[in-house]
Every structure is written in structure tokens, then in C-alpha cells.
């Protein structure tokens, strides 16, 4: 369920306007994200899932839609543990 929501948000904000997003699609090369749009996506995801602000080092290796799903899933799990 979370993965579908994340992919939907990634798709809706992607400059290339894909109808669907798969985990292997790259944010910049395939979906057309630039640095500003990536920052906006980060804020939207933080708010949508009630997560604290991500630190730059958490985002450094996030290059695909699947990596975004993993990032959100991992941070939701951390919030639940606390």
C-alpha cells in the first residue's frame, strides 16, 4: 500500500508525466526530475507520511523510484519503533 502511494506521488510530480512509475525508473534520467523538483518531492513525501525532515545523507543515494519506496518504508518503520 505504501509503495503504491509513493509511486503515485512520484508519478504525479514527475516532469515527464508518466502514467505509471516502476521501481527501476531513475528519477532524473527517466522521470525528468531536477534538483528543485526533487526537493519538492521530498517535502511532499515527508508530509504525506508524517515523517521528520530527511537529512541530506539519507537522500544521497536515492536515484530510482524503488529507492524512494525503500526510503519511505524504512523511515516509517523507524517511526513505529519509537
Amino acid at each position: 500500500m505504501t509503495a503504491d502511494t509513493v509511486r503515485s506521488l512520484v508519478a504525479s510530480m514527475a516532469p515527464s508525466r508518466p502514467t505509471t512509475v516502476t521501481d527501476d525508473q531513475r528519477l532524473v534520467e527517466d522521470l525528468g526530475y531536477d534538483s528543485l523538483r526533487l526537493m519538492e518531492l521530498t517535502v511532499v513525501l515527508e508530509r504525506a507520511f508524517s515523517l521528520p525532515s530527511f537529512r541530506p545523507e539519507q537522500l544521497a543515494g536515492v536515484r530510482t523510484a524503488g529507492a524512494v519506496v525503500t526510503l519511505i518504508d524504512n523511515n516509517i518503520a523507524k517511526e513505529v519503533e519509537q
Side-chain angles (χ1 to χ4, degrees):
M1 177 90 112
T2 301
D4 292 337
T5 303
V6 171
R7 284 188 212 99
S8 176
L9 289 169
V10 170
S12 69
M13 294 185 66
S16 67
R17 298 286 183 219
T19 55
T20 59
V21 169
T22 59
D23 286 345
D24 63 333
Q25 286 181 292
R26 297 167 298 173
L27 298 171
V28 175
E29 295 87 347
D30 299 328
L31 300 173
Y33 277 90
D34 59 23
S35 58
L36 178 58
R37 190 60 65 104
L38 286 169
M39 288 174 46
E40 292 170 341
L41 176 63
T42 300
V43 171
V44 167
L45 291 167
E46 290 166 351
R47 290 180 181 169
F49 293 99
S50 301
L51 296 170
S53 296
F54 291 109
R55 295 181 315 276
E57 60 270 16
Q58 290 176 284
L59 303 173
V62 178
R63 303 208 189 301
T64 64
V68 175
V69 171
T70 300
L71 175 74
I72 299 302
D73 282 342
N74 289 345
N75 280 276
I76 289 172
K78 285 179 189 175
E79 289 298 305
V80 170
E81 289 175 5
Q82 295 179 6

Coordinates of all heavy atoms in Angstrom, one line a residue:
M1 N 0.8 -1.2 0.0 CA 0.0 0.0 0.0 C 0.9 1.3 0.0 O 0.6 2.2 -0.8 CB -0.9 0.0 1.2 CG -1.8 1.2 1.3 SD -3.3 1.1 0.4 CE -4.4 1.1 1.8
T2 N 1.9 1.3 0.9 CA 2.8 2.4 0.9 C 3.5 2.6 -0.4 O 3.6 3.7 -0.9 CB 3.8 2.3 2.1 OG1 3.1 2.2 3.3 CG2 4.7 3.5 2.1
A3 N 3.9 1.5 -1.0 CA 4.7 1.6 -2.2 C 3.8 2.2 -3.3 O 4.3 3.0 -4.1 CB 5.2 0.2 -2.6
D4 N 2.6 1.8 -3.4 CA 1.7 2.3 -4.4 C 1.5 3.8 -4.2 O 1.5 4.6 -5.2 CB 0.3 1.6 -4.4 CG 0.4 0.2 -4.8 OD1 1.3 -0.2 -5.5 OD2 -0.5 -0.6 -4.4
T5 N 1.3 4.3 -3.0 CA 1.2 5.7 -2.7 C 2.4 6.5 -3.1 O 2.4 7.5 -3.7 CB 0.8 5.9 -1.2 OG1 -0.3 5.2 -0.9 CG2 0.6 7.4 -0.9
V6 N 3.6 5.9 -2.7 CA 4.9 6.6 -3.1 C 5.0 6.7 -4.6 O 5.3 7.8 -5.1 CB 6.1 5.8 -2.5 CG1 7.4 6.4 -3.0 CG2 6.0 5.9 -1.0
R7 N 4.8 5.6 -5.3 CA 4.9 5.6 -6.8 C 3.9 6.6 -7.4 O 4.2 7.3 -8.4 CB 4.7 4.2 -7.3 CG 5.8 3.3 -7.2 CD 5.6 2.0 -7.9 NE 6.3 0.9 -7.2 CZ 5.7 0.1 -6.4 NH1 4.4 0.1 -6.2 NH2 6.4 -0.8 -5.7
S8 N 2.7 6.7 -6.8 CA 1.7 7.6 -7.3 C 2.2 9.1 -7.2 O 2.0 9.9 -8.1 CB 0.4 7.4 -6.6 OG -0.6 8.3 -7.0
L9 N 2.7 9.4 -6.0 CA 3.3 10.7 -5.8 C 4.4 11.0 -6.7 O 4.5 12.1 -7.2 CB 3.7 10.9 -4.3 CG 2.5 11.0 -3.3 CD1 3.0 10.9 -1.9 CD2 1.7 12.3 -3.5
V10 N 5.3 10.1 -6.8 CA 6.5 10.3 -7.7 C 6.0 10.5 -9.2 O 6.4 11.4 -9.8 CB 7.4 9.0 -7.7 CG1 8.5 9.1 -8.8 CG2 8.1 8.9 -6.3
A11 N 5.0 9.8 -9.6 CA 4.5 9.9 -11.0 C 3.8 11.3 -11.1 O 3.9 12.0 -12.1 CB 3.5 8.8 -11.3
S12 N 3.0 11.7 -10.1 CA 2.2 12.9 -10.2 C 3.1 14.1 -10.3 O 2.7 15.2 -10.8 CB 1.2 13.0 -9.1 OG 1.8 13.2 -7.9
M13 N 4.2 14.1 -9.6 CA 5.1 15.2 -9.6 C 6.2 15.2 -10.7 O 7.0 16.2 -10.8 CB 5.8 15.3 -8.2 CG 4.7 15.6 -7.1 SD 5.5 15.9 -5.5 CE 6.4 17.4 -5.9
A14 N 6.4 14.1 -11.4 CA 7.4 13.9 -12.4 C 7.2 14.8 -13.6 O 6.1 14.9 -14.1 CB 7.5 12.5 -12.8
P15 N 8.2 15.6 -13.9 CA 8.1 16.5 -15.1 C 7.7 15.8 -16.4 O 7.1 16.3 -17.2 CB 9.5 17.1 -15.2 CG 10.0 17.1 -13.8 CD 9.5 15.8 -13.2
S16 N 8.1 14.5 -16.5 CA 7.9 13.8 -17.8 C 6.4 13.2 -17.8 O 6.0 12.7 -18.8 CB 8.8 12.6 -18.0 OG 8.6 11.7 -17.0
R17 N 5.7 13.3 -16.7 CA 4.3 12.9 -16.6 C 4.0 11.5 -17.1 O 3.2 11.3 -17.9 CB 3.4 13.9 -17.4 CG 3.4 15.3 -16.9 CD 2.7 15.4 -15.6 NE 2.6 16.8 -15.1 CZ 2.7 17.1 -13.9 NH1 2.9 16.2 -13.0 NH2 2.7 18.4 -13.5
P18 N 4.7 10.5 -16.5 CA 4.4 9.1 -16.8 C 3.0 8.7 -16.3 O 2.5 9.3 -15.3 CB 5.5 8.4 -16.1 CG 5.8 9.2 -14.9 CD 5.6 10.6 -15.4
T19 N 2.4 7.8 -16.9 CA 1.1 7.3 -16.4 C 1.3 6.4 -15.2 O 0.5 6.3 -14.3 CB 0.3 6.6 -17.5 OG1 1.0 5.5 -18.0 CG2 -0.2 7.5 -18.5
T20 N 2.4 5.6 -15.2 CA 2.8 4.8 -14.1 C 4.3 4.9 -13.9 O 5.0 5.3 -14.8 CB 2.4 3.3 -14.4 OG1 3.1 2.8 -15.5 CG2 1.0 3.1 -14.5
V21 N 4.7 4.5 -12.7 CA 6.1 4.5 -12.4 C 6.5 3.1 -11.8 O 5.8 2.6 -11.0 CB 6.4 5.6 -11.3 CG1 7.8 5.5 -10.7 CG2 6.2 7.0 -11.9
T22 N 7.6 2.6 -12.3 CA 8.1 1.3 -11.8 C 9.4 1.6 -11.0 O 10.0 2.6 -11.1 CB 8.5 0.4 -13.0 OG1 9.5 1.1 -13.8 CG2 7.2 0.1 -13.9
D23 N 9.7 0.6 -10.2 CA 10.8 0.7 -9.2 C 12.1 1.0 -9.9 O 13.0 1.6 -9.3 CB 10.9 -0.5 -8.3 CG 9.8 -0.5 -7.3 OD1 9.1 0.5 -7.0 OD2 9.6 -1.6 -6.6
D24 N 12.3 0.5 -11.1 CA 13.6 0.7 -11.8 C 13.8 2.0 -12.5 O 14.9 2.3 -13.0 CB 13.9 -0.5 -12.7 CG 12.8 -0.6 -13.8 OD1 11.7 -0.1 -13.7 OD2 13.2 -1.1 -14.9
Q25 N 12.7 2.8 -12.6 CA 12.8 4.1 -13.3 C 13.7 5.1 -12.5 O 13.5 5.2 -11.2 CB 11.5 4.7 -13.5 CG 10.8 4.0 -14.7 CD 9.4 4.6 -15.0 OE1 8.5 4.5 -14.1 NE2 9.3 5.2 -16.1
R26 N 14.6 5.7 -13.1 CA 15.5 6.7 -12.5 C 14.8 8.0 -12.4 O 14.2 8.5 -13.4 CB 16.8 6.8 -13.3 CG 17.6 5.4 -13.3 CD 18.7 5.4 -14.3 NE 18.1 5.6 -15.6 CZ 18.8 5.8 -16.7 NH1 20.1 5.8 -16.7 NH2 18.2 6.0 -17.9
L27 N 15.0 8.7 -11.3 CA 14.3 9.9 -11.0 C 14.7 11.0 -12.0 O 13.8 11.7 -12.6 CB 14.5 10.4 -9.6 CG 14.0 9.5 -8.5 CD1 14.5 9.9 -7.1 CD2 12.5 9.4 -8.5
V28 N 15.9 11.2 -12.2 CA 16.4 12.3 -13.1 C 16.4 11.8 -14.6 O 15.7 12.5 -15.4 CB 17.9 12.7 -12.7 CG1 18.4 13.7 -13.7 CG2 17.9 13.2 -11.3
E29 N 17.0 10.8 -14.9 CA 17.1 10.4 -16.3 C 15.8 9.9 -17.0 O 15.6 10.3 -18.1 CB 18.2 9.3 -16.5 CG 19.6 9.7 -16.1 CD 19.9 9.5 -14.6 OE1 19.0 9.3 -13.8 OE2 21.1 9.6 -14.3
D30 N 15.0 9.2 -16.2 CA 13.8 8.6 -16.8 C 12.5 9.5 -16.6 O 11.7 9.6 -17.4 CB 13.5 7.2 -16.3 CG 14.6 6.2 -16.6 OD1 15.3 6.4 -17.7 OD2 14.9 5.3 -15.8
L31 N 12.5 10.1 -15.4 CA 11.3 10.8 -15.0 C 11.4 12.3 -15.1 O 10.4 13.0 -14.9 CB 10.9 10.4 -13.6 CG 10.6 8.9 -13.4 CD1 10.3 8.5 -12.0 CD2 9.4 8.5 -14.3
G32 N 12.6 12.8 -15.4 CA 12.8 14.2 -15.6 C 12.9 15.1 -14.4 O 12.9 16.4 -14.6
Y33 N 13.2 14.6 -13.2 CA 13.3 15.4 -12.1 C 14.6 16.2 -12.1 O 15.6 15.7 -12.6 CB 13.4 14.5 -10.8 CG 12.0 14.1 -10.3 CD1 11.4 13.0 -10.7 CD2 11.3 14.9 -9.4 CE1 10.1 12.6 -10.3 CE2 10.1 14.5 -8.9 CZ 9.5 13.4 -9.3 OH 8.2 13.0 -8.9
D34 N 14.6 17.4 -11.6 CA 15.7 18.2 -11.4 C 15.9 18.5 -9.9 O 15.1 18.0 -9.1 CB 15.7 19.6 -12.2 CG 14.5 20.4 -11.8 OD1 13.9 20.3 -10.7 OD2 14.1 21.3 -12.7
S35 N 16.9 19.2 -9.5 CA 17.1 19.3 -8.1 C 16.0 20.0 -7.3 O 15.6 19.6 -6.2 CB 18.5 20.1 -7.8 OG 18.4 21.4 -8.4
L36 N 15.4 21.0 -7.9 CA 14.3 21.7 -7.3 C 13.1 20.8 -7.1 O 12.5 20.7 -6.1 CB 13.9 23.0 -8.0 CG 12.7 23.8 -7.4 CD1 13.0 24.2 -6.0 CD2 12.4 25.0 -8.3
R37 N 12.8 20.1 -8.2 CA 11.6 19.2 -8.1 C 11.9 18.0 -7.2 O 10.9 17.6 -6.5 CB 11.3 18.6 -9.5 CG 10.0 17.9 -9.7 CD 8.8 18.7 -9.4 NE 8.6 19.7 -10.3 CZ 7.7 19.8 -11.3 NH1 6.9 18.8 -11.5 NH2 7.6 20.9 -12.0
L38 N 13.1 17.6 -7.0 CA 13.4 16.5 -6.1 C 13.2 17.0 -4.6 O 12.7 16.3 -3.8 CB 14.9 16.0 -6.2 CG 15.1 15.1 -7.5 CD1 16.6 14.9 -7.7 CD2 14.4 13.8 -7.3
M39 N 13.6 18.3 -4.4 CA 13.4 18.9 -3.1 C 11.9 19.0 -2.8 O 11.4 18.7 -1.6 CB 14.0 20.3 -3.0 CG 15.5 20.2 -2.9 SD 16.3 21.8 -3.0 CE 15.4 22.8 -1.9
E40 N 11.1 19.4 -3.8 CA 9.7 19.4 -3.6 C 9.1 18.0 -3.3 O 8.2 17.9 -2.4 CB 9.0 20.0 -4.8 CG 9.3 21.5 -5.0 CD 8.9 22.0 -6.4 OE1 8.6 21.2 -7.3 OE2 8.8 23.3 -6.5
L41 N 9.5 17.0 -4.0 CA 9.1 15.7 -3.8 C 9.4 15.2 -2.4 O 8.6 14.6 -1.7 CB 9.7 14.7 -4.8 CG 9.4 13.2 -4.6 CD1 7.9 13.0 -4.8 CD2 10.2 12.4 -5.6
T42 N 10.6 15.6 -1.9 CA 11.0 15.2 -0.5 C 10.0 15.8 0.5 O 9.5 15.1 1.4 CB 12.4 15.7 -0.3 OG1 13.3 15.1 -1.2 CG2 12.8 15.3 1.2
V43 N 9.7 17.0 0.3 CA 8.7 17.7 1.3 C 7.4 17.1 1.2 O 6.7 16.8 2.2 CB 8.7 19.2 1.0 CG1 7.6 19.9 1.8 CG2 10.0 19.9 1.3
V44 N 6.9 16.8 0.0 CA 5.6 16.1 -0.2 C 5.6 14.8 0.5 O 4.6 14.4 1.2 CB 5.2 16.1 -1.6 CG1 4.0 15.1 -1.9 CG2 4.9 17.4 -2.2
L45 N 6.6 14.0 0.3 CA 6.7 12.7 0.9 C 6.7 12.8 2.5 O 6.1 12.0 3.2 CB 7.9 11.9 0.4 CG 7.7 11.5 -1.1 CD1 9.1 11.0 -1.6 CD2 6.7 10.4 -1.3
E46 N 7.5 13.7 3.0 CA 7.6 13.9 4.4 C 6.2 14.2 5.0 O 5.9 13.6 6.0 CB 8.6 15.0 4.8 CG 10.0 14.7 4.5 CD 10.9 15.9 4.5 OE1 10.4 17.0 4.6 OE2 12.2 15.7 4.4
R47 N 5.5 15.1 4.4 CA 4.2 15.5 4.9 C 3.2 14.3 4.7 O 2.3 14.1 5.6 CB 3.7 16.7 4.2 CG 4.5 17.9 4.6 CD 4.1 19.2 3.9 NE 4.9 20.3 4.4 CZ 4.9 21.5 3.8 NH1 4.1 21.7 2.8 NH2 5.7 22.4 4.3
A48 N 3.2 13.7 3.5 CA 2.2 12.6 3.2 C 2.3 11.5 4.2 O 1.3 10.9 4.6 CB 2.4 12.1 1.8
F49 N 3.5 11.2 4.7 CA 3.7 10.1 5.6 C 4.1 10.5 7.0 O 4.5 9.7 7.8 CB 4.8 9.1 5.0 CG 4.4 8.5 3.8 CD1 4.8 8.9 2.5 CD2 3.5 7.4 3.8 CE1 4.3 8.4 1.4 CE2 3.1 6.8 2.6 CZ 3.5 7.3 1.4
S50 N 3.9 11.8 7.3 CA 4.2 12.4 8.7 C 5.5 12.0 9.2 O 5.7 11.5 10.3 CB 3.1 11.9 9.6 OG 1.8 12.3 9.2
L51 N 6.5 12.2 8.3 CA 7.9 11.8 8.7 C 8.7 13.1 9.0 O 8.4 14.2 8.5 CB 8.6 11.1 7.5 CG 8.0 9.8 7.1 CD1 8.6 9.3 5.8 CD2 8.2 8.8 8.2
P52 N 9.7 13.0 9.9 CA 10.6 14.1 10.1 C 11.4 14.5 8.8 O 11.5 13.6 7.9 CB 11.5 13.7 11.2 CG 11.5 12.2 11.2 CD 10.1 11.8 10.6
S53 N 11.9 15.6 8.8 CA 12.7 16.0 7.6 C 13.9 15.1 7.4 O 14.6 14.7 8.3 CB 13.3 17.5 7.8 OG 12.2 18.4 7.9
F54 N 14.1 14.7 6.1 CA 15.2 13.9 5.8 C 16.5 14.7 5.8 O 16.5 15.9 5.5 CB 15.1 13.3 4.4 CG 14.0 12.3 4.3 CD1 12.8 12.6 3.6 CD2 14.1 11.1 4.9 CE1 11.8 11.7 3.5 CE2 13.1 10.1 4.8 CZ 11.9 10.4 4.1
R55 N 17.6 14.1 6.2 CA 18.9 14.7 6.2 C 19.5 14.4 4.8 O 19.2 13.4 4.2 CB 19.8 14.1 7.3 CG 19.3 14.4 8.7 CD 20.2 13.9 9.8 NE 20.6 12.5 9.6 CZ 19.9 11.4 9.9 NH1 18.7 11.5 10.5 NH2 20.4 10.2 9.7
P56 N 20.4 15.3 4.3 CA 21.0 15.1 3.0 C 21.6 13.8 2.8 O 21.5 13.2 1.7 CB 22.0 16.3 2.9 CG 21.4 17.3 3.8 CD 20.8 16.6 4.9
E57 N 22.3 13.3 3.8 CA 23.0 12.0 3.7 C 22.0 10.8 3.5 O 22.3 9.8 2.9 CB 23.9 11.7 4.9 CG 23.3 11.7 6.2 CD 23.2 13.0 6.9 OE1 23.4 14.0 6.3 OE2 23.0 13.0 8.1
Q58 N 20.8 11.0 4.0 CA 19.7 10.0 3.7 C 19.3 9.9 2.3 O 18.8 8.9 1.8 CB 18.5 10.2 4.6 CG 18.7 10.0 6.1 CD 17.5 10.4 6.9 OE1 17.2 11.6 7.0 NE2 16.7 9.4 7.3
L59 N 19.4 11.0 1.6 CA 18.9 11.2 0.3 C 19.9 11.0 -0.8 O 19.6 10.8 -2.0 CB 18.2 12.6 0.1 CG 17.1 12.9 1.1 CD1 16.7 14.3 0.9 CD2 15.9 12.0 0.9
A60 N 21.2 11.0 -0.4 CA 22.3 11.0 -1.4 C 22.2 9.9 -2.4 O 22.5 10.1 -3.6 CB 23.6 11.0 -0.7
G61 N 21.9 8.7 -2.0 CA 21.9 7.5 -2.9 C 20.6 7.2 -3.6 O 20.4 6.2 -4.2
V62 N 19.6 8.0 -3.3 CA 18.2 7.7 -3.8 C 18.2 8.2 -5.3 O 18.1 9.4 -5.6 CB 17.2 8.4 -2.9 CG1 15.8 8.2 -3.5 CG2 17.3 7.9 -1.5
R63 N 18.2 7.2 -6.2 CA 18.2 7.6 -7.6 C 17.1 7.0 -8.4 O 16.8 7.4 -9.5 CB 19.5 7.1 -8.2 CG 20.8 7.7 -7.5 CD 21.9 7.8 -8.5 NE 23.2 8.1 -7.9 CZ 23.5 9.2 -7.2 NH1 22.6 10.1 -7.0 NH2 24.7 9.5 -6.7
T64 N 16.4 6.0 -7.8 CA 15.3 5.4 -8.5 C 14.0 5.5 -7.7 O 14.0 5.7 -6.5 CB 15.5 3.9 -8.8 OG1 15.6 3.2 -7.5 CG2 16.8 3.7 -9.6
A65 N 12.9 5.2 -8.4 CA 11.6 5.2 -7.7 C 11.6 4.1 -6.6 O 11.0 4.3 -5.5 CB 10.4 5.0 -8.7
G66 N 12.2 3.0 -6.9 CA 12.3 1.9 -5.9 C 13.1 2.3 -4.7 O 12.7 1.9 -3.6
A67 N 14.1 3.1 -4.9 CA 14.9 3.6 -3.7 C 14.1 4.6 -2.9 O 14.2 4.6 -1.7 CB 16.2 4.3 -4.2
V68 N 13.2 5.3 -3.5 CA 12.3 6.2 -2.8 C 11.3 5.4 -2.0 O 11.1 5.7 -0.8 CB 11.5 7.2 -3.8 CG1 10.5 8.0 -3.0 CG2 12.4 8.0 -4.5
V69 N 10.8 4.3 -2.5 CA 9.9 3.4 -1.8 C 10.6 2.9 -0.6 O 10.1 2.9 0.6 CB 9.3 2.3 -2.7 CG1 8.6 1.2 -1.9 CG2 8.4 2.9 -3.8
T70 N 11.8 2.4 -0.8 CA 12.6 1.8 0.3 C 12.9 2.9 1.4 O 12.8 2.6 2.6 CB 13.9 1.3 -0.2 OG1 13.6 0.2 -1.1 CG2 14.8 0.7 0.9
L71 N 13.2 4.1 1.0 CA 13.5 5.2 1.9 C 12.3 5.4 2.8 O 12.4 5.5 4.0 CB 13.9 6.5 1.2 CG 14.0 7.7 2.0 CD1 15.3 7.7 2.8 CD2 14.0 8.9 1.1
I72 N 11.1 5.5 2.2 CA 9.9 5.8 2.9 C 9.5 4.6 3.9 O 9.3 4.8 5.0 CB 8.7 6.1 2.0 CG1 9.0 7.4 1.2 CG2 7.4 6.3 2.8 CD1 9.3 8.6 2.0
D73 N 9.6 3.4 3.3 CA 9.3 2.2 4.2 C 10.2 2.1 5.4 O 9.8 1.9 6.5 CB 9.4 0.9 3.3 CG 8.2 0.7 2.4 OD1 7.2 1.3 2.7 OD2 8.4 -0.1 1.5
N74 N 11.5 2.4 5.2 CA 12.5 2.3 6.3 C 12.2 3.4 7.3 O 12.3 3.1 8.5 CB 13.9 2.4 5.8 CG 14.3 1.2 5.0 OD1 13.7 0.1 5.1 ND2 15.4 1.3 4.2
N75 N 11.8 4.6 6.9 CA 11.6 5.6 7.8 C 10.3 5.5 8.5 O 10.1 5.9 9.7 CB 11.7 7.0 7.1 CG 13.2 7.4 7.0 OD1 13.8 7.9 7.9 ND2 13.8 7.1 5.8
I76 N 9.3 4.9 7.9 CA 8.0 4.6 8.6 C 8.3 3.6 9.7 O 7.8 3.7 10.8 CB 6.9 4.1 7.6 CG1 6.5 5.3 6.7 CG2 5.8 3.5 8.3 CD1 5.5 4.9 5.6
A77 N 9.1 2.6 9.3 CA 9.4 1.5 10.3 C 10.1 2.1 11.5 O 9.9 1.8 12.7 CB 10.3 0.4 9.7
K78 N 11.1 3.1 11.3 CA 11.8 3.7 12.4 C 10.8 4.5 13.3 O 11.0 4.5 14.5 CB 12.9 4.6 11.8 CG 14.1 3.9 11.3 CD 15.1 4.9 10.7 CE 16.2 4.2 10.0 NZ 17.1 5.2 9.4
E79 N 9.9 5.2 12.7 CA 8.9 6.0 13.4 C 8.0 5.1 14.3 O 7.7 5.4 15.4 CB 8.1 6.8 12.5 CG 8.8 8.0 11.8 CD 9.3 9.0 12.9 OE1 8.5 9.5 13.7 OE2 10.5 9.2 12.8
V80 N 7.7 3.9 13.8 CA 6.8 3.0 14.5 C 7.6 2.4 15.7 O 7.0 2.3 16.8 CB 6.3 1.9 13.6 CG1 5.7 0.7 14.4 CG2 5.4 2.4 12.5
E81 N 8.9 2.2 15.5 CA 9.7 1.6 16.6 C 9.8 2.6 17.8 O 10.0 2.2 18.9 CB 11.1 1.3 16.1 CG 11.2 0.1 15.2 CD 12.5 -0.1 14.6 OE1 13.5 0.6 14.9 OE2 12.7 -1.0 13.7
Q82 N 9.8 3.9 17.5 CA 10.0 4.9 18.5 C 8.7 5.1 19.3 O 8.0 5.1 19.8 CB 10.4 6.2 17.9 CG 11.7 6.1 17.3 CD 12.2 7.5 16.6 OE1 11.5 8.5 16.8 NE2 13.3 7.4 16.0

